[in-house]
Amino acid sequence: AQSVAQPEDQVNVAEGNPLTVKCTYSVSGNPYLFWYVQYPNRGLQFLLKYITGDNLVKGSYGFEAEFNKSQTSFHLKKPSALVSDSALYFCAVRDTGRRALTFGSGTRLQVQP
Amino acid sequence: EAGVTQSPTHLIKTRGQQATLRCSPISGHTSVYWYQQALGLGLQFLLWYDEGEERNRGNFPPRFSGRQFPNYSSELNVNALELEDSALYLCASHPGGELFFGEGSRLTVL
């Protein structure tokens, strides 16, 4: 079975400060890892993915994520937060077989001006 | 290139009725996934169709069903609607990696 944990329901950060949204996962075999963002009353937008290769993955809107195999983590980061980054963020995982993505419960990011 | 399109945007039904939601994947994508996003419950996997066949199913009762047509569009049917079926239903397609989502269909059951 595959699972994802996002331990924080909400993260608050001041504009201009770095942000981190945490994600840990569990799969059998090698993971495919993803981050998505959801704005109010909208679908999910793809931010970035890790399939293989470099542990630091760069994505859209200045976001990046670091894959840590020993800690089974895939935390989302951004060096300088913007108010417009305020949204709901989902981490997702699947194994290398053809299966649907399993999503975490989501973390609401609130960036204060 | 058009993205994943879903219809209707909003749907209001009463308990016991049936709802039908539709999804068109991105051109060239043969897989369609359905997810339910109920308030406060995150995204729950419903169904996965590929090449016209149901490939996998989440932990939902049989009154949630669907199909995929030869043009790869898909339909989700929810029978005998219950109040807790009120949710945003999201459809996604993929070329083999990340999923691309539509804007969703919001179903309200009164």
Side-chain angles (χ1 to χ4, degrees):
Chain A
Q2 51 194 37
S3 65
V4 177
Q6 293 182 243
E8 303 153 316
D9 289 337
Q10 181 157 325
V11 169
N12 298 307
V13 64
E15 187 174 30
N17 283 0
L19 69 87
T20 298
V21 182
K22 296 179 180 177
C23 170
T24 58
Y25 67 89
S26 174
V27 291
S28 53
N30 294 321
Y32 289 2
L33 293 156
F34 306 82
W35 275 102
Y36 286 83
V37 60
Q38 185 179 36
Y39 296 98
N41 298 312
R42 304 294 300 276
L44 274 68
Q45 294 179 30
F46 169 73
L47 278 179
L48 52 80
K49 65 182 176 184
Y50 172 84
I51 303 297
T52 187
D54 198 350
N55 288 345
L56 185 63
V57 179
K58 294 189 183 297
S60 307
Y61 313 120
F63 284 94
E64 57 189 29
E66 187 166 12
F67 171 64
N68 187 315
K69 189 172 183 177
S70 63
Q71 297 185 5
T72 62
S73 67
F74 190 57
H75 300 332
L76 181 70
K77 300 182 180 186
K78 188 174 182 182
S80 179
L82 299 172
V83 172
S84 57
D85 293 330
S86 299
L88 188 57
Y89 290 80
F90 289 96
C91 181
V93 68
R94 71 172 179 90
D95 62 25
T96 51
R98 295 193 69 197
R99 299 178 62 177
L101 291 184
T102 296
F103 284 83
S105 55
T107 298
R108 188 163 302 280
L109 174 66
Q110 199 69 38
V111 181
Q112 284 112 11
Chain B
E1 180 183 273
V4 177
T5 57
Q6 292 187 244
S7 64
T9 306
H10 293 89
L11 188 61
I12 299 175
K13 293 285 187 178
T14 56
R15 201 168 46 181
Q17 284 188 314
Q18 179 198 37
T20 298
L21 310 176
R22 296 178 178 83
C23 171
S24 292
I26 293 172
S27 177
H29 293 187
T30 62
S31 280
V32 169
Y33 297 78
W34 287 95
Y35 285 83
Q36 182 195 65
Q37 187 178 19
L39 195 62
L41 292 180
L43 275 81
Q44 305 296 318
F45 167 66
L46 266 166
L47 290 160
W48 168 25
Y49 291 96
D50 184 48
E51 298 282 357
E53 299 286 332
E54 182 180 301
R55 300 295 185 185
N56 201 359
R57 182 182 182 86
N59 189 24
F60 280 84
R63 57 190 187 83
F64 287 84
S65 65
R67 54 180 171 167
Q68 187 178 32
F69 299 98
N71 66 354
Y72 304 117
S73 67
S74 178
E75 200 173 82
L76 174 68
N77 295 295
V78 188
N79 293 320
L81 285 166
E82 300 179 1
L83 296 178
E84 53 265 34
D85 296 333
S86 294
L88 182 67
Y89 289 84
L90 293 165
C91 173
S93 69
H94 82 114
E98 65 271 23
L99 296 181
F100 293 90
F101 283 85
E103 294 296 317
S105 294
R106 183 163 296 283
L107 172 63
T108 302
V109 183
L110 302 175

